[in-house]
Amino acid sequence: GVPTAIAAAVAAGRCVQAAMYGQGGGGGGDDLYDFGASEGVPVPPVPPSRAGGAPPGTSMRGTGLASRAGPGLMSRAGGSQPMEENRPMTAVRAAGYTSAGKQQATTGIFDPTGQGGPAARGPAPPLAEKRDNSPEDMCREIEKEVNKLIEESAQLAAEKQALRALDKAKEAGKRERHLCKQREQNGLSEQINIDLTYSVCFNLANQYHANGLYSEALNTYSLIVKNKQYAQSGRLRVNMGNIYYEQGKYPAAIKMYRMALDQIPATGKEVKSKILRNIGNAFVRLGQFQDALSSYEQIMESAPDVHTGFNLVLCYYALGDRERQRRGFTKLLSVRQIQMDADELETMNAADISEDDGMKAALRERIRASHKYLSTASKLLVNTIDADVVAGYEWVAEALSTAGQHELATEMSIGKALHFMRSRQFDKAVETLKSYEKQEASLVAHAATNLSFIYFHEGDFGNAVKYADLAMRHNRYNAKALVNKGNCLFLKGELEHARALYQEAMGAEADCLEAVYNLATVNKRLGDHVSALGLFEKLHQIIPHSIEVIWQIADLFDLSSQPRMAIKWFKILSARVPTDPSVLSRLGNIYLKEDDESQAYHYHHESYRYYPVDMNVISWLGAYFVKNEMYEKAVEYFERAAQIQPAEVKWKLMVASCHRRSGDYQLAFEIYQRIHSDYPENVECLRYLVHICDDLGKKDQVHEYVVKLRKAERAIEASAPPPESQPHMPPPQHQAGYGGSDQYRGTEDSQGEPGPSAFQQAMMAAAAGAPRAAPMQSKAAKPPSGADDDLFADDDLDDNLLPS
């Protein structure tokens, strides 16, 4: 009957409560997972009554309920139970409202469910002790660890930590194999997670690829695509094709791309387009432009994009088909471009926009890429789309204007003006640029800047300044216009005004390299070496491979009397340009000032090896060997100097003098005779002939040359002005090393080619013997320090000038 069913339900509720708290009683031994997870579990049997097997009491009287069918009726919950008495189903008092228990009687609180507070309920039952994990729980924990390792590997790969990501991927693979083995051993094969195995293998293959382990990556991908349990695994052949592409195995890459293309459904148009573009790129690498065209044209017909359109134009350009180039460029312009008006661009660049906004960053990148593709294609086609380059510029500019790309059309028109400049057609260039004077401000500033540049290189500084001012009126912070005007003032000698303009250009555009370099040059010219050095070092950080900047830094250290630092930077420069003879000779000069003649000789010799016609280096090497009494080697350099300057008699005299000092008097006498025949009025040659004839015992020729010598001296005296009319000439300034510190500094620091130093002059004078016109005059002053006093101190015409 119904009351019996209610009793069974109450009994079932008690069993659930016992299972939750781990107490004894019916059903208390089953855990919550088994109970909650099992479906169709029969209701537990009714526990025996406290009073001799009677059913549990109700809340009204605490005794069993009577059935309407009599004492022997079977209940739904179990067997037949005899009833103590029959009583009517009605009662004078409602059940549960007047039959108060002990608690209600004592406290006066109605609480039929026993929730009257801790005092009423008593202490909480003790927590059930957690049993050891079952094999299923252990497998579940291992699966969580594998998932965590996969996530960590992916995160490290995103952070460009490829090696650590690979280690995590390998560890995930080991743990996943251990998981499968555990489930097989415990009879849980049906719980093996195929998706987890796929994720582990796919991540491992990706990390192999990222680390350049192509063979391992291909093997892992092959295991995935060959497993029929993995749905859509054939798409991973795209990744395999990418690996073959990176290896240069383009036929294998094309095969993989086509196999992956067959796996893509008709709805995946975007993915199909990307795979087709990969196929076209591989054909381009193979030089099969016609096959690449078929892939690109298929994309442009179904899902056109700027990148594919640009590749299509490149293929037409490679095939040299002008008409198809025009059609391809028109297709490229017909692709819907991502545009932004001025308001949107201002909003995007506003200060309150977060820099971490990935969406806007991606949008900016797409706009930049689109602009780059169109600009590159335009510049590429202007030279080939028509036989006349100017006509090509005009066609491209018109096509861009029609497509709404007015900024690029303006760039092409200005590019046409630059083409005129390169072709030395300055009038047409000026005419083209002047056509923008009455247009919008940005175009006027752009054109005026280029006009200023043209006039500057033509030497028309007035117009250069005029158009620089025009550009600055339309855009006061135009750094290039400020630099152009500063250059004009620099060449006019207004260095302070030029420096102010360069500083203003740097304030307008901090990374304007021209302004920084020119400002450093002005500071160097004004003698502010510290500021100049700081600016050049800043430039070196921005453009570390600029040899001009490295040279300026080394030169400033040399000017600041820091030879060690100068040597360091010149060596850095020599490592960049190892065959530059001026750098090598400059290093030799610095070592010479440091009294390190061995290193000075090494670098001068290296400079001569790369550039054997530098007269300064040749004369230094010849004088070096004369000083060290190695006359045979000195002859080689003086003969080379005589070949380079055949009209200069001093080199021939030095060759003869070296032979005389080495003891080969006869050869020296023959050379002197040849010099005398070429230059019969040369007094020095006649003096040497007189002495060498005397040494060789040719008395008859001695008298002949003495007569010629006196005749030549009288002619010189007759042509010389009176002593009182001769202007006073100050003595030449001594310079350390040849060429001084101004050598090889370019046009900004030196005027003309530097001459030999006092050291070289003394050396060459010693090689020539340095005879005086009047033998009875007093001795000449000694040469500067560094010359050999024993060889060059006595300049009188006596036996000391001849080898002993």
Side-chain angles (χ1 to χ4, degrees), residues 317 325 376-397 412:
Y317 174 81
Q325 288 179 40
T376 306
S378 302
K379 294 174 183 177
L380 188 66
L381 294 183
V382 291
N383 296 314
T384 60
I385 207 168
D386 200 293
D388 184 8
V389 177
V390 177
Y393 273 107
E394 292 174 352
W395 186 90
V396 171
M412 289 300 103

Side-chain angles (χ1 to χ4, degrees), residues 676-688:
H676 177 64
S677 62
D678 294 335
Y679 305 95
E681 303 298 328
N682 189 279
V683 176
E684 293 182 3
C685 181
L686 289 170
R687 290 172 186 161
Y688 294 138

Side-chain angles (χ1 to χ4, degrees), residues 74-345:
M74 297 289 292
S75 72
R76 294 184 182 179
S80 171
Q81 297 290 339
M83 296 298 172
E84 295 179 357
E85 62 180 354
N86 292 330
R87 59 183 179 83
M89 294 300 297
T90 59
V92 178
R93 291 171 296 185
Y97 288 92
T98 58
S99 299
K102 295 180 180 180
Q103 180 180 354
Q104 181 177 357
T106 57
T107 62
I109 301 174
F110 174 69
D111 186 14
T113 58
Q115 303 294 326
R121 293 197 305 267
L127 297 175
E129 295 182 2
K130 187 177 180 181
R131 299 178 302 170
D132 294 336
N133 286 337
S134 64
E136 189 172 358
D137 292 336
M138 293 177 62
C139 292
R140 194 179 298 113
E141 293 296 327
I142 297 174
E143 186 171 340
K144 289 180 181 179
E145 293 178 7
V146 173
N147 282 318
K148 183 178 179 182
L149 287 170
I150 294 174
E151 291 175 1
E152 291 176 356
S153 176
Q155 181 65 31
L156 290 171
E159 296 172 359
K160 307 300 182 183
Q161 302 183 36
L163 192 57
R164 292 182 59 193
L166 178 60
D167 292 339
K168 293 287 184 182
K170 289 180 177 179
E171 182 65 23
K174 291 179 183 178
R175 298 296 294 167
E176 194 275 334
R177 288 192 294 272
H178 175 67
L179 172 62
C180 293
K181 186 176 179 180
Q182 287 291 324
R183 282 176 169 164
E184 290 174 355
Q185 290 177 353
N186 291 281
L188 302 173
S189 300
E190 69 279 357
Q191 296 184 7
I192 293 178
N193 193 341
I194 299 298
D195 293 335
L196 181 65
T197 307
Y198 174 84
S199 300
V200 169
C201 295
F202 178 63
N203 180 61
L204 182 60
N206 269 334
Q207 304 314 324
Y208 277 136
H209 186 186
N211 284 273
L213 303 173
Y214 296 133
S215 299
E216 292 82 351
L218 288 172
N219 291 336
T220 309
Y221 278 128
S222 298
L223 292 175
I224 299 175
V225 299
K226 291 178 181 178
N227 194 332
K228 302 301 181 182
Q229 293 181 330
Y230 302 143
Q232 310 296 336
S233 62
R235 299 184 181 186
L236 295 183
R237 294 189 185 275
V238 175
N239 294 13
M240 299 176 71
N242 291 340
I243 295 175
Y244 284 126
Y245 188 93
E246 292 179 16
Q247 291 179 318
K249 302 175 181 179
Y250 302 115
I254 292 170
K255 177 183 176 182
M256 287 296 167
Y257 290 144
R258 285 178 169 168
M259 292 175 70
L261 192 64
D262 295 337
Q263 301 287 328
I264 307 300
T267 55
K269 290 184 178 180
E270 186 177 353
V271 178
K272 276 193 169 185
S273 298
K274 292 180 179 179
I275 297 176
L276 282 171
R277 188 166 63 197
N278 287 2
I279 293 173
N281 293 345
F283 276 125
V284 168
R285 292 288 185 176
L286 291 171
Q288 301 177 17
F289 299 107
Q290 197 62 47
D291 294 327
L293 281 175
S294 62
S295 297
Y296 294 143
E297 288 174 347
Q298 186 176 347
I299 299 172
M300 294 300 289
E301 290 173 1
S302 58
D305 62 277
V306 179
H307 191 179
T308 305
F310 176 73
N311 291 348
L312 185 65
V313 171
L314 287 182
C315 289
Y316 289 144
Y317 174 81
L319 293 173
D321 191 338
R322 291 178 179 174
E323 187 58 35
R324 296 173 80 181
Q325 288 179 40
R326 291 174 184 265
R327 291 204 306 267
F329 189 67
T330 305
K331 284 184 181 180
L332 175 60
L333 293 177
S334 66
V335 177
R336 182 177 178 274
Q337 304 292 329
I338 301 173
Q339 297 290 344
M340 281 185 163
D341 56 22
D343 296 336
E344 290 177 340
L345 196 58

